[in-house]
Amino acid sequence: MKQKDLVATFSIVGYDPETEELGIAVQSKFLGVGAVVPWAKAGVGAVATQSYANTTYGPLGLDLMAAGKTAQETIDLLTAEDEDRALRQVGIVDGKGNAATFTGEKCFEWAGGIAGKHFAAQGNILVSEATVNAMATTFETATGSLAERLLAALDAAQEAGGDSRGKQSAALLIVKEEGGYGGYNDRAIDLRVDDHPDPIKELIRIYELQQLYFSKPTPEDIIDIDETTLVEMSKALQALGYLKIDACRAEDLTEGLNQFILTENFEERQQPQGKIDKKVLNFLLNKSKI
């Protein structure tokens, strides 16, 4: 194998027993790491394959778990058939939350992993083991959704040292039954930063946009359009060209707001007449000031 084939990186694979989501967050000094390391299938498991990455570990690992193998059994079977297992690194969580990690003895230092309750964290060519320890500790103590905990763990890992060669790409994959757009697949979140000077921070920024556009509003997000809000909205819509200056009918405002919502892809946050999502309102007001 050539040095260019090396996927030196750190990753964390996790499971949320409440939502039954499975996911992977990963960062590397490697172009487009999201196209190589993360593999997952709702209800089955999640796999992060790295070091001299054997990408067959992804689909084969998922097939083994779909057939009833645990995370540890899956790793044992994958590595047993691999003549280059000493160069491999892999973390797996199965559909029941069992976790396992493997680091071949020829992976470049520092290399290692930790498997805990509902997660496996691993990395190679790291500054030190502090990177993996930070991922593990942060995932165990962080709150929020699985995606938020994985991102927090990844961010903490970078702060603890990260990849000794530097930073380049990062990715986040979360799967859930019917979790994809329109409920047609299981890819609830599939985000990649392929080449960036600060890929984890950029991944977090893109995740926040994904949540703004595609997550459904909570009851706390919905507010009545009072007189003050009506004036603010009207001025903003006028500034952006969605409402004529002399328009004064309620129907004009509703039409202008609907056009703005459709243009900005906020369909998931559209509300009945007389109400608005606070996040849409804030986006509208901020955009009108640019």
Side-chain angles (χ1 to χ4, degrees):
M1 291 189 181
K2 300 177 181 179
Q3 181 72 24
K4 69 179 180 65
D5 298 320
L6 178 65
V7 188
T9 185
F10 54 92
S11 66
I12 180 163
V13 184
Y15 171 74
D16 187 327
E18 293 186 7
T19 63
E20 297 186 342
E21 291 175 320
L22 290 150
I24 306 112
V26 57
Q27 193 280 157
S28 182
K29 180 64 173 70
F30 183 88
L31 180 68
V33 71
V36 177
V37 171
W39 301 77
K41 185 175 182 180
V44 174
V47 180
T49 177
Q50 54 202 54
S51 187
Y52 284 94
N54 184 338
T55 54
T56 67
Y57 279 18
L60 291 177
L62 294 175
D63 286 346
L64 288 167
M65 287 185 283
K69 301 300 183 183
T70 66
Q72 186 61 60
E73 290 170 339
T74 298
I75 284 182
D76 292 343
L77 289 167
L78 290 173
T79 55
E81 299 296 323
D82 188 352
E83 293 182 355
D84 291 315
R85 56 185 170 274
L87 296 167
R88 313 296 191 199
Q89 189 170 56
V90 59
I92 295 180
V93 173
D94 62 37
K96 295 182 179 179
N98 302 305
T101 187
F102 170 85
T103 300
E105 65 270 22
K106 291 185 180 179
C107 289
F108 294 163
E109 294 291 340
W110 189 91
I114 298 173
K117 185 177 181 180
H118 300 153
F119 79 91
Q122 48 281 314
N124 61 90
I125 314 188
L126 303 180
V127 171
S128 73
E129 63 183 312
T131 296
V132 169
N133 290 339
M135 277 192 289
T137 300
T138 302
F139 184 81
E140 290 175 322
T141 58
T143 58
S145 67
L146 177 62
E148 290 164 347
R149 294 171 67 198
L150 292 174
L151 287 172
L154 206 66
D155 198 28
Q158 184 61 53
E159 292 296 321
D163 188 328
S164 63
R165 302 173 309 154
K167 303 176 286 186
Q168 187 170 6
S169 64
L172 173 68
L173 176 62
I174 302 291
V175 296
K176 182 180 180 180
E177 291 288 353
E178 300 181 351
Y181 185 81
Y184 296 117
N185 60 48
D186 68 352
R187 293 195 310 277
I189 301 172
D190 188 359
L191 303 174
R192 300 178 183 181
V193 176
D194 288 340
D195 185 29
H196 194 277
D198 202 349
I200 296 175
K201 297 298 186 186
E202 178 66 3
L203 183 62
I204 292 171
R205 186 188 73 82
I206 293 174
Y207 166 75
E208 291 171 350
L209 283 177
Q210 193 272 346
Q211 290 295 287
L212 173 63
Y213 287 118
F214 300 115
S215 66
K216 295 186 182 299
T218 65
E220 293 76 23
D221 288 330
I222 311 306
I223 61 172
D224 293 323
I225 300 176
D226 58 21
E227 186 174 345
T228 300
T229 303
L230 182 64
V231 171
E232 292 177 334
M233 287 172 51
S234 298
K235 290 180 178 178
L237 290 169
Q238 289 169 0
L240 294 172
Y242 292 99
L243 186 66
K244 294 180 180 179
I245 300 298
D246 57 352
C248 57
R249 298 181 307 163
E251 292 84 354
D252 295 328
L253 178 68
T254 299
E255 182 180 350
L257 179 61
N258 287 340
Q259 289 179 358
F260 170 78
I261 287 173
L262 292 174
T263 299
E264 296 294 341
N265 297 307
F266 283 129
E267 293 91 339
E268 295 289 342
R269 294 185 173 274
Q270 196 163 16
Q271 299 301 315
Q273 186 171 345
K275 295 182 180 296
I276 190 169
D277 183 307
K278 285 191 296 186
K279 292 179 180 177
V280 172
L281 175 62
N282 290 336
F283 186 93
L284 169 63
L285 298 180
N286 288 331
K287 189 175 180 67
S288 68
K289 296 175 183 177
I290 295 175

